[in-house]
Amino acid sequence: MSTPLPPFPRGQEPSGAPVPLELTVGPAAPQLRADAARNRARLLEAATRLVEEHGVANVTMEAVAVAASVGKGTVFRRFGDRTGLLMALLDHTEQQFQAAFLSGPPPLGPGASPADRLHAFGCRVLREIHDRLDLYIAAEPDASRRFSSAPYRVRFTHVAMLLREAVPDADGVLLAQTLMGYLEPALIHHLTRQCGMPLERLESGWHDLVKRTTCPVSD
Amino acid sequence: MSTPLPPFPRGQEPSGAPVPLELTVGPAAPQLRADAARNRARLLEAATRLVEEHGVANVTMEAVAVAASVGKGTVFRRFGDRTGLLMALLDHTEQQFQAAFLSGPPPLGPGASPADRLHAFGCRVLREIHDRLDLYIAAEPDASRRFSSAPYRVRFTHVAMLLREAVPDADGVLLAQTLMGYLEPALIHHLTRQCGMPLERLESGWHDLVKRTTCPVSD
DNA sequence: CCAGCAAGCGGACCTCGGTCCGCTTTATTG
DNA sequence: CAATAAAGCGGACCGAGGTCCGCTTGCTGG
């Protein structure tokens, strides 16, 4: 329609919403051929090593390809683009986290009140991102995809669901986007690195925000 | 410290915070030489034309240089980078807007209650961005500068100030960042273009958000 | 075991943002 | 008006992300 459009054939793109190739809850890997799977593993390993050796900012796609003894095209076919590769590096942690808030023990998982789950959720995300901030920043998709990536959608849907439960008569979608905005890597980076705020302050801020959001408004 | 660092000599960078060359409230242009000023004007004109002819996404820096009959280096010296050029295209509107909420008539300007000013502020920003969405999206600085750009800082400071007035015992800075997050071009793009929400719904969402934010919380 | 064929591969290639540096123009000052 | 310093200029150049397309390789059914 407007965007230049699909870079590589990859899977089942053509139908409706662009299906992200991974990073979603559960494996759902579409049966890679043996050599492809091997190369994928090599690439992830190489990328991990390069990132911790030189810092994510200095890791180029070509360097990863070379380090994995693989052609550059292969990197792009497998991961789509740089963002895709970087997100794949966060996939394992992400899946664990998803499992934790979807079906783990309270207060993160089901069993606690929606508000309590929200409080726990935010703190967990804040710490998670804070611990691997550079990677999260670098893996941030560009503006037009920021809200469509699988991990974002899963988190967002979860927050929206909790919010609908906690404040049924509010616009849960908009409120959820607002809360999610507080958890953006770029903001966390700004506040902790550029403004020098301790993580604890961000956590208090989150608690306050949740309180204000879930308290019934006069109107 | 960590970033690759300054591209061009330009002005008085070295002292402390990186002083953005324009886009701040007031003119403060540092006396361009005659030819430089002429080229600057040419460039802005050419860029404006190209943007409305081909859409901002298809406008390259080189194309702008050629269209303005100027060397490519000149574009970068004058505007720093692509983001800088695009922001300059928004500068005129931005200055008018700043004047309106800093010293214009209520409810946007001083005279109304902080809460009323916040309500007005958000609606104005929403419309402003909605009207030139593509340009705002394209002009968005990368993650590490999103919160340091002059226009952002002015808006943010304003919101924080109003918030401190309206809810003195809250963490105004964090609350302000949250409110600002609701006004991000990328989010507005997602909600209106990808989710198909009408602008009116975003406005209601803003009003609700301000209400919840400014209502005293039980603790 | 072989043939056929998708899936996968890889590196040459392109584009575009950003940089460098030797040359030109402008402003200043005596 | 000359001399001079500084500001500006511009296009060759570079690096990195992303694409293309002819070749290779692993699967599958006969």
Side-chain angles (χ1 to χ4, degrees):
Chain A
M1 186 155 285
S2 60
T3 45
L5 268 233
F8 272 84
R10 187 193 328 151
Q12 66 284 66
E13 288 277 342
S15 62
V19 180
L21 49 175
E22 45 205 298
L23 273 284
T24 180
V25 56
Q31 288 270 59
L32 289 184
R33 227 170 66 174
D35 52 348
R38 186 205 53 192
N39 283 342
R40 194 188 124 91
R42 272 192 194 174
L43 282 166
L44 287 177
E45 188 189 0
T48 304
R49 195 168 54 78
L50 288 186
V51 164
E52 64 194 25
E53 258 172 32
H54 305 109
V56 65
N58 300 315
V59 173
T60 73
M61 294 300 267
E62 183 142 27
V64 173
V66 170
S69 309
V70 143
K72 195 176 171 183
T74 303
V75 191
F76 283 92
R77 173 166 332 90
R78 196 55 54 211
F79 298 101
D81 57 10
R82 191 179 137 98
T83 290
L85 173 59
L86 264 21
M87 289 214 300
L89 257 30
L90 293 167
D91 187 45
H92 188 235
T93 308
E94 182 66 25
Q95 299 220 11
Q96 288 185 312
F97 177 50
Q98 288 180 9
F101 68 70
L102 287 176
S103 58
L108 206 53
S113 78
D116 285 346
R117 294 184 71 186
L118 274 177
H119 283 289
F121 179 87
C123 287
R124 173 73 178 261
V125 173
L126 284 173
R127 291 195 180 277
E128 200 84 35
I129 294 180
H130 181 259
D131 286 348
R132 308 173 76 186
L133 195 46
D134 291 349
L135 191 48
Y136 271 99
I137 298 264
E140 191 103 343
D142 60 274
S144 58
R145 282 182 297 171
R146 216 166 46 238
F147 303 93
S148 326
S149 73
Y152 185 91
R153 286 216 316 271
V154 174
R155 293 178 183 201
F156 165 77
T157 306
H158 183 65
V159 170
M161 188 256 283
L162 292 176
L163 231 34
R164 260 196 305 276
E165 239 179 293
V167 280
D169 54 339
D171 192 328
V173 170
L174 294 188
L175 243 32
Q177 294 287 11
T178 306
L179 290 197
M180 289 294 289
Y182 188 90
L183 303 176
E184 289 230 346
L187 179 56
I188 297 172
H189 173 263
H190 173 68
L191 294 176
T192 61
R193 299 259 172 96
Q194 293 175 348
C195 302
M197 291 189 190
L199 194 56
E200 291 72 29
R201 182 165 168 197
L202 297 204
E203 290 183 353
S204 316
W206 172 259
H207 292 310
D208 185 56
L209 184 58
V210 170
K211 249 180 283 175
R212 290 179 189 277
T213 303
T214 55
C215 103
V217 73
S218 55
D219 188 329
Chain B
M1 188 152 286
S2 61
T3 45
L5 268 228
F8 271 84
R10 190 199 319 154
Q12 65 286 64
E13 288 276 343
S15 63
V19 180
L21 49 174
E22 44 205 301
L23 275 284
T24 180
V25 55
Q31 288 271 59
L32 289 183
R33 227 170 66 174
D35 51 348
R38 186 206 53 194
N39 283 342
R40 194 187 124 90
R42 273 192 194 174
L43 282 166
L44 287 176
E45 189 189 1
T48 304
R49 195 168 54 77
L50 289 185
V51 164
E52 64 193 23
E53 258 173 31
H54 305 108
V56 65
N58 300 315
V59 173
T60 73
M61 294 300 267
E62 183 142 26
V64 174
V66 170
S69 309
V70 143
K72 194 177 172 185
T74 302
V75 191
F76 284 91
R77 174 167 331 88
R78 196 55 53 213
F79 298 102
D81 58 11
R82 192 179 136 97
T83 291
L85 173 60
L86 264 19
M87 290 214 299
L89 257 31
L90 294 166
D91 187 45
H92 188 233
T93 309
E94 182 66 25
Q95 299 219 12
Q96 288 185 313
F97 177 49
Q98 287 180 9
F101 68 72
L102 288 176
S103 58
L108 207 52
S113 77
D116 285 346
R117 292 184 72 186
L118 274 176
H119 283 289
F121 178 88
C123 286
R124 175 72 178 263
V125 173
L126 284 173
R127 290 195 181 278
E128 200 84 35
I129 293 179
H130 181 259
D131 286 348
R132 309 174 76 187
L133 195 45
D134 290 349
L135 191 47
Y136 271 99
I137 298 263
E140 190 102 343
D142 60 273
S144 57
R145 282 182 297 172
R146 218 167 45 238
F147 304 94
S148 325
S149 73
Y152 184 91
R153 286 216 317 270
V154 174
R155 293 178 184 199
F156 165 76
T157 306
H158 183 64
V159 170
M161 188 256 284
L162 292 176
L163 230 32
R164 260 197 304 277
E165 238 179 294
V167 280
D169 53 341
D171 192 329
V173 170
L174 294 188
L175 243 35
Q177 294 287 11
T178 305
L179 290 196
M180 289 294 289
Y182 189 90
L183 303 176
E184 289 230 344
L187 179 58
I188 297 172
H189 173 263
H190 173 67
L191 294 176
T192 60
R193 298 261 171 95
Q194 293 173 348
C195 303
M197 291 189 189
L199 193 56
E200 290 73 28
R201 183 164 167 199
L202 297 205
E203 290 183 355
S204 317
W206 172 259
H207 291 313
D208 184 55
L209 184 58
V210 170
K211 246 180 286 175
R212 291 178 188 278
T213 303
T214 56
C215 103
V217 74
S218 54
D219 183 12

